Amino acid sequence: MTLENPIEISQNYYKIADLIVKINYPDTLNLENLLPSFRIFQIDNTNESPALSILLSTDKAPTTADMGILRSDESIAWGDRFCFYEQEDSFLTTIVNNQGDEQWYMRSERNFSQSTIYIPSSTEGECSSVIWWMLMMVFGQAALLHDTIMIHASVINCDGQGIAFLGKSGTGKSTHSRLWLKHIPNTSLLNDDNPAIRINDDGIHIYGTPWSGKTHCYKNEKINLKAFVRLQQAPSNVFKWQSGVSSFIAVLPSCTSIRWNKDLFATMNSTLEKVVSQVPVGLLQCLPDEAAAQLCYNRIFKKPE
């Protein structure tokens, strides 16, 4: 039987952190409007194998009574509307829609190289934000197999050198970046929340991505990673270089990985060990002032204090 109005499937390709992302989607969706931050990363059809393939589907989600092992039921982004399940051959992510009567449903292979996102019939303006977030989640996992780690950081480009500011939410990563923009010459913002780090043959690089938190800073750029700096609020400004295990521990909490996939988590740790062996890691206990930015700049670029 032939459908009178069959749904045509289109394909878009994107290059993010030098990795190919392929999205298959029905023509009923306007992907360019749904994912505006992806536009600058879009490329023509390519023969390169994708690191990540996603199918966006308007079909009914294949939910079952047994969803698997519930690994998490809370999210910073979605609160208690979120659930994450582990099955023998896959992971399932669900997010209850705004109306509370349907749910978003994503099935991912265990290495996250392929995922299907089932879009509920009622989305009321949340379609863009949920797809955007789900793509960030699966990219962060699939990238781990390609010497690439997504991190939570605000990143400054200073004369072509990337400095990644790390810290707990509310520590002041974005504030410190703004201090550099205001007081340090030749600086610009590369990404304010979710850059990607990749080990390449010619060094360690940090990339802009389509994900930058609340700051609309979506740059398709790649620069050398000069240093990590973990920030801590303090009554005075003190900068200390970290070494050995301390360097690893300073960066690890900012890395994106799902610990229930032991293979991917081990791969991330191995990649991070290589990264911190080549990229210095500093600890900056600081106030939100110009002196903190100047101190940090001077220590990283070996200027006299």
Side-chain angles (χ1 to χ4, degrees):
M1 181 177 68
T2 303
L3 297 176
E4 289 186 13
N5 297 300
I7 297 176
E8 297 291 334
I9 299 296
S10 297
Q11 298 175 342
N12 279 11
Y13 293 86
Y14 305 89
K15 181 170 279 192
I16 304 169
D18 285 331
L19 298 175
I20 303 300
V21 175
K22 176 183 176 183
I23 301 181
N24 299 297
Y25 62 99
D27 284 348
T28 52
L29 295 178
N30 187 327
L31 201 61
E32 185 171 329
N33 287 345
L34 283 176
L35 299 172
S37 66
F38 277 64
R39 292 170 189 164
I40 195 172
F41 298 88
Q42 188 169 355
I43 61 172
D44 294 332
N45 196 345
T46 176
N47 292 325
E48 293 183 60
S49 297
L52 174 60
S53 295
I54 302 103
L55 170 63
L56 303 181
S57 175
T58 53
D59 293 342
K60 183 176 177 59
T63 56
T64 60
D66 182 10
M67 297 284 282
I69 302 171
L70 177 62
R71 292 302 190 185
S72 178
D73 59 359
E74 60 181 16
S75 160
I76 294 175
W78 308 108
D80 60 4
R81 295 165 56 194
F82 166 88
C83 284
F84 182 75
Y85 301 90
E86 180 178 4
Q87 296 188 331
E88 184 177 353
D89 60 348
S90 61
F91 289 101
L92 303 178
T93 305
T94 64
I95 297 173
V96 176
N97 69 345
N98 280 330
Q99 292 71 39
D101 56 357
E102 291 186 281
Q103 66 181 4
W104 292 79
Y105 180 101
M106 178 171 68
R107 182 187 183 279
S108 304
E109 291 191 355
R110 289 197 65 85
N111 64 3
F112 292 89
S113 63
Q114 295 189 46
S115 294
T116 300
I117 298 174
Y118 294 90
I119 302 171
S121 58
S122 177
T123 59
E124 290 210 2
E126 67 182 351
C127 192
S128 178
S129 59
V130 176
I131 293 174
W132 182 83
W133 184 88
M134 285 183 163
L135 292 177
M136 176 177 66
M137 175 186 169
V138 293
F139 178 84
Q141 306 312 307
L144 294 172
L145 295 177
H146 303 273
D147 296 323
T148 304
I149 303 174
M150 283 193 73
I151 63 169
H152 294 294
S154 183
V155 183
I156 283 293
N157 180 344
C158 183
D159 275 332
Q161 303 292 311
I163 299 94
F165 301 120
L166 317 174
K168 295 180 180 179
S169 179
T171 300
K173 300 184 291 295
S174 296
T175 297
H176 193 75
S177 284
R178 288 195 293 271
L179 290 169
W180 278 59
L181 295 174
K182 183 176 181 180
H183 300 294
I184 307 298
N186 302 317
T187 60
S188 60
L189 187 66
L190 176 68
N191 187 279
D192 204 32
D193 196 44
N194 291 104
I197 295 167
R198 187 171 186 186
I199 301 175
N200 294 308
D201 292 339
D202 56 345
I204 312 293
H205 295 93
I206 192 161
Y207 297 75
T209 72
W211 306 284
S212 188
K214 297 178 181 178
T215 304
H216 290 188
C217 183
Y218 310 113
K219 296 182 179 179
N220 190 3
E221 296 179 6
K222 160 190 171 183
I223 58 176
N224 180 65
L225 179 56
K226 178 74 172 178
F228 294 103
V229 178
R230 176 157 287 275
L231 304 177
Q232 290 181 355
Q233 295 177 351
S236 61
N237 298 318
V238 178
F239 186 100
K240 296 179 181 178
W241 287 114
Q242 306 297 290
S243 61
V245 175
S246 296
S247 294
F248 182 88
I249 292 174
V251 180
L252 180 62
S254 299
C255 296
T256 300
S257 180
I258 294 173
R259 64 182 181 273
W260 298 289
N261 187 316
K262 295 180 180 179
D263 292 337
L264 285 182
F265 189 70
T267 298
M268 186 205 72
N269 286 333
S270 177
T271 301
L272 182 58
E273 286 178 1
K274 296 174 185 176
V275 170
V276 298
S277 71
Q278 299 180 53
V279 178
V281 180
L283 173 65
L284 178 63
Q285 297 170 306
C286 61
L287 294 162
D289 59 13
E290 177 184 355
Q294 293 289 354
L295 171 62
C296 189
Y297 171 78
N298 290 338
R299 293 301 302 273
I300 290 172
F301 290 95
K302 302 186 185 301
K303 306 288 185 182
E305 294 187 38

